[in-house]
PDB file of all heavy atoms in Angstrom:
ATOM      1  N   ALA A   1       7.247  -7.848   2.886  1.00 84.00           N
ATOM      2  CA  ALA A   1       5.944  -8.192   3.284  1.00 84.00           C
ATOM      3  C   ALA A   1       5.476  -7.438   4.500  1.00 84.00           C
ATOM      4  O   ALA A   1       4.341  -6.933   4.615  1.00 84.00           O
ATOM      5  CB  ALA A   1       5.846  -9.852   3.541  1.00 84.00           C
ATOM      6  N   ALA A   2       6.349  -7.369   5.660  1.00 87.00           N
ATOM      7  CA  ALA A   2       6.030  -6.618   6.764  1.00 87.00           C
ATOM      8  C   ALA A   2       5.827  -5.162   6.430  1.00 87.00           C
ATOM      9  O   ALA A   2       4.839  -4.460   6.983  1.00 87.00           O
ATOM     10  CB  ALA A   2       7.081  -6.717   7.816  1.00 87.00           C
ATOM     11  N   ALA A   3       6.579  -4.539   5.630  1.00 88.00           N
ATOM     12  CA  ALA A   3       6.455  -3.078   5.274  1.00 88.00           C
ATOM     13  C   ALA A   3       5.121  -2.888   4.537  1.00 88.00           C
ATOM     14  O   ALA A   3       4.444  -1.914   4.902  1.00 88.00           O
ATOM     15  CB  ALA A   3       7.635  -2.621   4.450  1.00 88.00           C
ATOM     16  N   ASN A   4       4.844  -3.737   3.692  1.00 88.00           N
ATOM     17  CA  ASN A   4       3.466  -3.697   2.970  1.00 88.00           C
ATOM     18  C   ASN A   4       2.373  -3.832   3.791  1.00 88.00           C
ATOM     19  O   ASN A   4       1.188  -3.143   3.666  1.00 88.00           O
ATOM     20  CB  ASN A   4       3.521  -4.400   1.652  1.00 88.00           C
ATOM     21  CG  ASN A   4       4.388  -3.945   0.677  1.00 88.00           C
ATOM     22  OD1 ASN A   4       4.056  -2.890   0.071  1.00 88.00           O
ATOM     23  ND2 ASN A   4       5.546  -4.470   0.399  1.00 88.00           N
ATOM     24  N   ALA A   5       2.328  -4.796   4.731  1.00 90.00           N
ATOM     25  CA  ALA A   5       1.212  -5.010   5.679  1.00 90.00           C
ATOM     26  C   ALA A   5       1.055  -3.819   6.489  1.00 90.00           C
ATOM     27  O   ALA A   5      -0.098  -3.405   6.857  1.00 90.00           O
ATOM     28  CB  ALA A   5       1.600  -6.306   6.599  1.00 90.00           C
ATOM     29  N   PHE A   6       2.155  -3.109   6.839  1.00 93.00           N
ATOM     30  CA  PHE A   6       2.142  -1.910   7.613  1.00 93.00           C
ATOM     31  C   PHE A   6       1.247  -0.815   6.765  1.00 93.00           C
ATOM     32  O   PHE A   6       0.320  -0.069   7.338  1.00 93.00           O
ATOM     33  CB  PHE A   6       3.400  -1.329   7.958  1.00 93.00           C
ATOM     34  CG  PHE A   6       3.296   0.045   8.704  1.00 93.00           C
ATOM     35  CD1 PHE A   6       3.103   0.065  10.054  1.00 93.00           C
ATOM     36  CD2 PHE A   6       3.479   1.240   7.906  1.00 93.00           C
ATOM     37  CE1 PHE A   6       3.032   1.364  10.684  1.00 93.00           C
ATOM     38  CE2 PHE A   6       3.225   2.497   8.579  1.00 93.00           C
ATOM     39  CZ  PHE A   6       3.121   2.506   9.943  1.00 93.00           C
ATOM     40  N   LEU A   7       1.550  -0.637   5.426  1.00 92.00           N
ATOM     41  CA  LEU A   7       0.683   0.141   4.623  1.00 92.00           C
ATOM     42  C   LEU A   7      -0.608  -0.159   4.604  1.00 92.00           C
ATOM     43  O   LEU A   7      -1.503   0.756   4.705  1.00 92.00           O
ATOM     44  CB  LEU A   7       1.268   0.219   3.181  1.00 92.00           C
ATOM     45  CG  LEU A   7       2.869   0.713   3.032  1.00 92.00           C
ATOM     46  CD1 LEU A   7       3.216   0.674   1.590  1.00 92.00           C
ATOM     47  CD2 LEU A   7       3.114   2.018   3.627  1.00 92.00           C
ATOM     48  N   ASP A   8      -0.973  -1.415   4.519  1.00 92.00           N
ATOM     49  CA  ASP A   8      -2.403  -1.752   4.478  1.00 92.00           C
ATOM     50  C   ASP A   8      -3.126  -1.420   5.837  1.00 92.00           C
ATOM     51  O   ASP A   8      -4.320  -0.892   5.863  1.00 92.00           O
ATOM     52  CB  ASP A   8      -2.462  -3.328   4.242  1.00 92.00           C
ATOM     53  CG  ASP A   8      -2.009  -3.715   2.931  1.00 92.00           C
ATOM     54  OD1 ASP A   8      -1.745  -2.960   2.069  1.00 92.00           O
ATOM     55  OD2 ASP A   8      -1.859  -4.931   2.726  1.00 92.00           O
ATOM     56  N   GLY A   9      -2.443  -1.606   6.945  1.00 94.00           N
ATOM     57  CA  GLY A   9      -2.935  -1.237   8.209  1.00 94.00           C
ATOM     58  C   GLY A   9      -3.093   0.309   8.319  1.00 94.00           C
ATOM     59  O   GLY A   9      -4.106   0.752   8.879  1.00 94.00           O
ATOM     60  N   LEU A  10      -2.125   1.020   7.833  1.00 96.00           N
ATOM     61  CA  LEU A  10      -2.155   2.499   7.956  1.00 96.00           C
ATOM     62  C   LEU A  10      -3.431   3.015   7.092  1.00 96.00           C
ATOM     63  O   LEU A  10      -4.183   3.893   7.658  1.00 96.00           O
ATOM     64  CB  LEU A  10      -0.851   3.114   7.370  1.00 96.00           C
ATOM     65  CG  LEU A  10      -0.800   4.589   7.351  1.00 96.00           C
ATOM     66  CD1 LEU A  10      -0.933   5.175   8.655  1.00 96.00           C
ATOM     67  CD2 LEU A  10       0.470   5.063   6.607  1.00 96.00           C
ATOM     68  N   ALA A  11      -3.638   2.421   6.003  1.00 95.00           N
ATOM     69  CA  ALA A  11      -4.722   2.839   5.190  1.00 95.00           C
ATOM     70  C   ALA A  11      -6.104   2.526   5.937  1.00 95.00           C
ATOM     71  O   ALA A  11      -6.997   3.387   5.947  1.00 95.00           O
ATOM     72  CB  ALA A  11      -4.733   2.204   3.817  1.00 95.00           C
ATOM     73  N   ALA A  12      -6.117   1.334   6.463  1.00 96.00           N
ATOM     74  CA  ALA A  12      -7.439   1.003   7.145  1.00 96.00           C
ATOM     75  C   ALA A  12      -7.553   1.935   8.306  1.00 96.00           C
ATOM     76  O   ALA A  12      -8.803   2.323   8.725  1.00 96.00           O
ATOM     77  CB  ALA A  12      -7.292  -0.446   7.672  1.00 96.00           C
ATOM     78  N   ARG A  13      -6.602   2.273   9.144  1.00 97.00           N
ATOM     79  CA  ARG A  13      -6.672   3.179  10.229  1.00 97.00           C
ATOM     80  C   ARG A  13      -7.095   4.563   9.762  1.00 97.00           C
ATOM     81  O   ARG A  13      -8.009   5.052  10.444  1.00 97.00           O
ATOM     82  CB  ARG A  13      -5.377   3.207  10.977  1.00 97.00           C
ATOM     83  CG  ARG A  13      -5.550   4.178  12.287  1.00 97.00           C
ATOM     84  CD  ARG A  13      -4.239   4.397  13.013  1.00 97.00           C
ATOM     85  NE  ARG A  13      -3.565   5.465  12.302  1.00 97.00           N
ATOM     86  CZ  ARG A  13      -2.339   5.897  12.426  1.00 97.00           C
ATOM     87  NH1 ARG A  13      -1.504   5.157  13.300  1.00 97.00           N
ATOM     88  NH2 ARG A  13      -1.848   6.876  11.791  1.00 97.00           N
ATOM     89  N   ARG A  14      -6.563   5.018   8.705  1.00 97.00           N
ATOM     90  CA  ARG A  14      -6.955   6.342   8.196  1.00 97.00           C
ATOM     91  C   ARG A  14      -8.428   6.361   7.850  1.00 97.00           C
ATOM     92  O   ARG A  14      -9.212   7.341   8.171  1.00 97.00           O
ATOM     93  CB  ARG A  14      -6.022   6.808   7.032  1.00 97.00           C
ATOM     94  CG  ARG A  14      -4.666   7.373   7.553  1.00 97.00           C
ATOM     95  CD  ARG A  14      -3.859   7.858   6.232  1.00 97.00           C
ATOM     96  NE  ARG A  14      -4.687   8.844   5.507  1.00 97.00           N
ATOM     97  CZ  ARG A  14      -4.425  10.068   5.795  1.00 97.00           C
ATOM     98  NH1 ARG A  14      -3.563  10.555   6.728  1.00 97.00           N
ATOM     99  NH2 ARG A  14      -5.027  11.097   4.993  1.00 97.00           N
ATOM    100  N   ARG A  15      -8.926   5.318   7.169  1.00 97.00           N
ATOM    101  CA  ARG A  15     -10.348   5.216   6.698  1.00 97.00           C
ATOM    102  C   ARG A  15     -11.152   5.184   7.989  1.00 97.00           C
ATOM    103  O   ARG A  15     -12.310   5.783   7.956  1.00 97.00           O
ATOM    104  CB  ARG A  15     -10.515   4.088   5.792  1.00 97.00           C
ATOM    105  CG  ARG A  15      -9.980   4.306   4.341  1.00 97.00           C
ATOM    106  CD  ARG A  15     -10.510   3.262   3.422  1.00 97.00           C
ATOM    107  NE  ARG A  15     -10.344   1.842   3.918  1.00 97.00           N
ATOM    108  CZ  ARG A  15      -9.119   1.158   3.718  1.00 97.00           C
ATOM    109  NH1 ARG A  15      -8.071   1.614   3.107  1.00 97.00           N
ATOM    110  NH2 ARG A  15      -9.102  -0.162   4.265  1.00 97.00           N
ATOM    111  N   ALA A  16     -10.808   4.427   8.924  1.00 97.00           N
ATOM    112  CA  ALA A  16     -11.605   4.254  10.168  1.00 97.00           C
ATOM    113  C   ALA A  16     -11.753   5.613  10.893  1.00 97.00           C
ATOM    114  O   ALA A  16     -12.732   5.943  11.622  1.00 97.00           O
ATOM    115  CB  ALA A  16     -11.046   3.254  11.095  1.00 97.00           C
ATOM    116  N   GLN A  17     -10.691   6.414  10.695  1.00 97.00           N
ATOM    117  CA  GLN A  17     -10.764   7.924  11.325  1.00 97.00           C
ATOM    118  C   GLN A  17     -11.345   8.886  10.399  1.00 97.00           C
ATOM    119  O   GLN A  17     -11.370  10.070  10.623  1.00 97.00           O
ATOM    120  CB  GLN A  17      -9.263   8.205  11.591  1.00 97.00           C
ATOM    121  CG  GLN A  17      -8.741   7.419  12.762  1.00 97.00           C
ATOM    122  CD  GLN A  17      -7.201   7.670  12.903  1.00 97.00           C
ATOM    123  OE1 GLN A  17      -6.535   8.072  12.084  1.00 97.00           O
ATOM    124  NE2 GLN A  17      -6.738   7.278  14.102  1.00 97.00           N
ATOM    125  N   GLY A  18     -11.908   8.493   9.297  1.00 96.00           N
ATOM    126  CA  GLY A  18     -12.636   9.312   8.302  1.00 96.00           C
ATOM    127  C   GLY A  18     -11.794  10.102   7.432  1.00 96.00           C
ATOM    128  O   GLY A  18     -12.079  11.149   6.862  1.00 96.00           O
ATOM    129  N   LEU A  19     -10.457   9.698   7.246  1.00 97.00           N
ATOM    130  CA  LEU A  19      -9.548  10.279   6.441  1.00 97.00           C
ATOM    131  C   LEU A  19      -9.410   9.558   5.141  1.00 97.00           C
ATOM    132  O   LEU A  19      -9.590   8.284   5.113  1.00 97.00           O
ATOM    133  CB  LEU A  19      -8.198  10.311   7.117  1.00 97.00           C
ATOM    134  CG  LEU A  19      -8.128  11.159   8.354  1.00 97.00           C
ATOM    135  CD1 LEU A  19      -6.742  10.909   9.051  1.00 97.00           C
ATOM    136  CD2 LEU A  19      -8.254  12.637   8.051  1.00 97.00           C
ATOM    137  N   PRO A  20      -9.049  10.217   4.012  1.00 97.00           N
ATOM    138  CA  PRO A  20      -8.924   9.438   2.823  1.00 97.00           C
ATOM    139  C   PRO A  20      -7.656   8.484   2.881  1.00 97.00           C
ATOM    140  O   PRO A  20      -6.649   8.870   3.414  1.00 97.00           O
ATOM    141  CB  PRO A  20      -8.617  10.494   1.699  1.00 97.00           C
ATOM    142  CG  PRO A  20      -8.179  11.661   2.469  1.00 97.00           C
ATOM    143  CD  PRO A  20      -8.720  11.534   3.980  1.00 97.00           C
ATOM    144  N   ALA A  21      -7.850   7.292   2.396  1.00 96.00           N
ATOM    145  CA  ALA A  21      -6.630   6.389   2.175  1.00 96.00           C
ATOM    146  C   ALA A  21      -7.081   5.178   1.323  1.00 96.00           C
ATOM    147  O   ALA A  21      -8.238   4.785   1.514  1.00 96.00           O
ATOM    148  CB  ALA A  21      -6.244   5.989   3.530  1.00 96.00           C
ATOM    149  N   VAL A  22      -6.055   4.700   0.618  1.00 93.00           N
ATOM    150  CA  VAL A  22      -6.260   3.469  -0.020  1.00 93.00           C
ATOM    151  C   VAL A  22      -4.815   2.927  -0.246  1.00 93.00           C
ATOM    152  O   VAL A  22      -3.913   3.671  -0.394  1.00 93.00           O
ATOM    153  CB  VAL A  22      -6.926   3.529  -1.461  1.00 93.00           C
ATOM    154  CG1 VAL A  22      -6.050   4.440  -2.405  1.00 93.00           C
ATOM    155  CG2 VAL A  22      -7.247   2.197  -2.145  1.00 93.00           C
ATOM    156  N   ALA A  23      -4.744   1.624   0.048  1.00 92.00           N
ATOM    157  CA  ALA A  23      -3.516   0.816  -0.319  1.00 92.00           C
ATOM    158  C   ALA A  23      -3.680  -0.021  -1.347  1.00 92.00           C
ATOM    159  O   ALA A  23      -4.697  -0.908  -1.295  1.00 92.00           O
ATOM    160  CB  ALA A  23      -3.076   0.088   1.004  1.00 92.00           C
ATOM    161  N   VAL A  24      -2.929   0.250  -2.403  1.00 88.00           N
ATOM    162  CA  VAL A  24      -3.176  -0.691  -3.635  1.00 88.00           C
ATOM    163  C   VAL A  24      -2.115  -1.812  -3.630  1.00 88.00           C
ATOM    164  O   VAL A  24      -0.939  -1.585  -3.698  1.00 88.00           O
ATOM    165  CB  VAL A  24      -2.963   0.280  -4.886  1.00 88.00           C
ATOM    166  CG1 VAL A  24      -3.156  -0.758  -6.165  1.00 88.00           C
ATOM    167  CG2 VAL A  24      -3.831   1.392  -4.898  1.00 88.00           C
ATOM    168  N   GLY A  25      -2.682  -3.052  -3.422  1.00 78.00           N
ATOM    169  CA  GLY A  25      -1.795  -4.188  -3.318  1.00 78.00           C
ATOM    170  C   GLY A  25      -1.452  -4.738  -4.603  1.00 78.00           C
ATOM    171  O   GLY A  25      -2.064  -5.661  -5.169  1.00 78.00           O
ATOM    172  N   TRP A  26      -0.421  -4.160  -5.267  1.00 77.00           N
ATOM    173  CA  TRP A  26       0.151  -4.641  -6.593  1.00 77.00           C
ATOM    174  C   TRP A  26       0.730  -5.984  -6.540  1.00 77.00           C
ATOM    175  O   TRP A  26       1.308  -6.458  -5.503  1.00 77.00           O
ATOM    176  CB  TRP A  26       1.171  -3.662  -7.104  1.00 77.00           C
ATOM    177  CG  TRP A  26       0.708  -2.251  -7.253  1.00 77.00           C
ATOM    178  CD1 TRP A  26       0.745  -1.164  -6.333  1.00 77.00           C
ATOM    179  CD2 TRP A  26       0.088  -1.763  -8.463  1.00 77.00           C
ATOM    180  NE1 TRP A  26       0.205  -0.130  -7.098  1.00 77.00           N
ATOM    181  CE2 TRP A  26      -0.237  -0.395  -8.238  1.00 77.00           C
ATOM    182  CE3 TRP A  26      -0.297  -2.220  -9.642  1.00 77.00           C
ATOM    183  CZ2 TRP A  26      -0.827   0.456  -9.105  1.00 77.00           C
ATOM    184  CZ3 TRP A  26      -1.016  -1.529 -10.623  1.00 77.00           C
ATOM    185  CH2 TRP A  26      -1.307  -0.126 -10.328  1.00 77.00           C
ATOM    186  N   GLY A  27       0.690  -6.699  -7.629  1.00 69.00           N
ATOM    187  CA  GLY A  27       1.413  -7.928  -7.897  1.00 69.00           C
ATOM    188  C   GLY A  27       2.727  -7.619  -8.604  1.00 69.00           C
ATOM    189  O   GLY A  27       3.127  -6.403  -8.595  1.00 69.00           O
ATOM    190  N   LEU A  28       3.340  -8.654  -9.114  1.00 62.00           N
ATOM    191  CA  LEU A  28       4.698  -8.324  -9.823  1.00 62.00           C
ATOM    192  C   LEU A  28       4.390  -7.541 -11.054  1.00 62.00           C
ATOM    193  O   LEU A  28       3.531  -7.954 -11.858  1.00 62.00           O
ATOM    194  CB  LEU A  28       5.258  -9.650 -10.255  1.00 62.00           C
ATOM    195  CG  LEU A  28       6.650  -9.625 -10.863  1.00 62.00           C
ATOM    196  CD1 LEU A  28       7.612  -9.029 -10.046  1.00 62.00           C
ATOM    197  CD2 LEU A  28       7.080 -11.070 -11.331  1.00 62.00           C
ATOM    198  N   TRP A  29       5.079  -6.489 -11.331  1.00 57.00           N
ATOM    199  CA  TRP A  29       4.967  -5.672 -12.487  1.00 57.00           C
ATOM    200  C   TRP A  29       5.775  -6.232 -13.609  1.00 57.00           C
ATOM    201  O   TRP A  29       6.615  -7.090 -13.329  1.00 57.00           O
ATOM    202  CB  TRP A  29       5.547  -4.272 -12.226  1.00 57.00           C
ATOM    203  CG  TRP A  29       4.753  -3.414 -11.241  1.00 57.00           C
ATOM    204  CD1 TRP A  29       3.885  -3.817 -10.175  1.00 57.00           C
ATOM    205  CD2 TRP A  29       4.754  -1.952 -11.071  1.00 57.00           C
ATOM    206  NE1 TRP A  29       3.341  -2.850  -9.563  1.00 57.00           N
ATOM    207  CE2 TRP A  29       3.825  -1.761 -10.054  1.00 57.00           C
ATOM    208  CE3 TRP A  29       5.309  -1.055 -11.794  1.00 57.00           C
ATOM    209  CZ2 TRP A  29       3.599  -0.270  -9.612  1.00 57.00           C
ATOM    210  CZ3 TRP A  29       5.051   0.257 -11.415  1.00 57.00           C
ATOM    211  CH2 TRP A  29       4.316   0.513 -10.415  1.00 57.00           C
ATOM    212  N   GLY A  30       5.335  -5.916 -14.755  1.00 56.00           N
ATOM    213  CA  GLY A  30       5.968  -6.624 -15.905  1.00 56.00           C
ATOM    214  C   GLY A  30       7.400  -5.919 -16.003  1.00 56.00           C
ATOM    215  O   GLY A  30       7.737  -4.871 -15.530  1.00 56.00           O
ATOM    216  N   GLY A  31       8.185  -6.648 -16.949  1.00 51.00           N
ATOM    217  CA  GLY A  31       9.539  -6.045 -17.123  1.00 51.00           C
ATOM    218  C   GLY A  31      10.612  -6.793 -16.300  1.00 51.00           C
ATOM    219  O   GLY A  31      10.217  -7.595 -15.471  1.00 51.00           O
ATOM    220  N   THR A  32      11.837  -6.487 -16.620  1.00 51.00           N
ATOM    221  CA  THR A  32      12.912  -7.123 -15.919  1.00 51.00           C
ATOM    222  C   THR A  32      13.928  -6.134 -15.343  1.00 51.00           C
ATOM    223  O   THR A  32      15.063  -6.452 -14.962  1.00 51.00           O
ATOM    224  CB  THR A  32      13.683  -8.063 -16.913  1.00 51.00           C
ATOM    225  OG1 THR A  32      14.218  -7.201 -17.973  1.00 51.00           O
ATOM    226  CG2 THR A  32      12.805  -9.273 -17.328  1.00 51.00           C
ATOM    227  N   GLU A  33      13.414  -4.927 -15.017  1.00 53.00           N
ATOM    228  CA  GLU A  33      14.117  -3.975 -14.405  1.00 53.00           C
ATOM    229  C   GLU A  33      13.746  -3.676 -13.091  1.00 53.00           C
ATOM    230  O   GLU A  33      12.685  -4.047 -12.602  1.00 53.00           O
ATOM    231  CB  GLU A  33      14.071  -2.566 -15.217  1.00 53.00           C
ATOM    232  CG  GLU A  33      14.669  -2.780 -16.697  1.00 53.00           C
ATOM    233  CD  GLU A  33      14.581  -1.524 -17.427  1.00 53.00           C
ATOM    234  OE1 GLU A  33      14.427  -0.410 -16.845  1.00 53.00           O
ATOM    235  OE2 GLU A  33      14.711  -1.684 -18.711  1.00 53.00           O
ATOM    236  N   GLY A  34      14.704  -2.965 -12.198  1.00 48.00           N
ATOM    237  CA  GLY A  34      14.275  -2.538 -11.024  1.00 48.00           C
ATOM    238  C   GLY A  34      13.898  -3.761 -10.116  1.00 48.00           C
ATOM    239  O   GLY A  34      14.568  -4.676 -10.002  1.00 48.00           O
ATOM    240  N   MET A  35      12.909  -3.579  -9.278  1.00 49.00           N
ATOM    241  CA  MET A  35      12.491  -4.525  -8.272  1.00 49.00           C
ATOM    242  C   MET A  35      12.189  -5.999  -8.995  1.00 49.00           C
ATOM    243  O   MET A  35      12.359  -6.955  -8.406  1.00 49.00           O
ATOM    244  CB  MET A  35      11.337  -4.163  -7.477  1.00 49.00           C
ATOM    245  CG  MET A  35      11.771  -2.943  -6.547  1.00 49.00           C
ATOM    246  SD  MET A  35      10.326  -2.273  -5.621  1.00 49.00           S
ATOM    247  CE  MET A  35       9.735  -3.599  -4.715  1.00 49.00           C
ATOM    248  N   ALA A  36      11.574  -5.938 -10.131  1.00 48.00           N
ATOM    249  CA  ALA A  36      11.095  -7.160 -10.827  1.00 48.00           C
ATOM    250  C   ALA A  36      12.484  -7.938 -11.213  1.00 48.00           C
ATOM    251  O   ALA A  36      12.369  -9.313 -11.122  1.00 48.00           O
ATOM    252  CB  ALA A  36      10.392  -6.877 -12.174  1.00 48.00           C
TER     253      ALA A  36
END
């Protein structure tokens, strides 16, 4: 949660500085492999 909150903040800072950025807040992906 902390790592992803950092990404959201980084994207917001970049946009505020006129740089391209988007943080896509995904939910749980389908499937039963990997992180899921």
Side-chain angles (χ1 to χ4, degrees):
N4 285 289
F6 177 85
L7 296 184
D8 295 348
L10 176 62
R13 186 187 79 194
R14 283 183 59 91
R15 284 192 310 273
Q17 295 171 337
L19 298 170
V22 63
V24 182
W26 296 95
L28 182 63
W29 291 24
T32 59
E33 297 180 15
M35 293 173 64

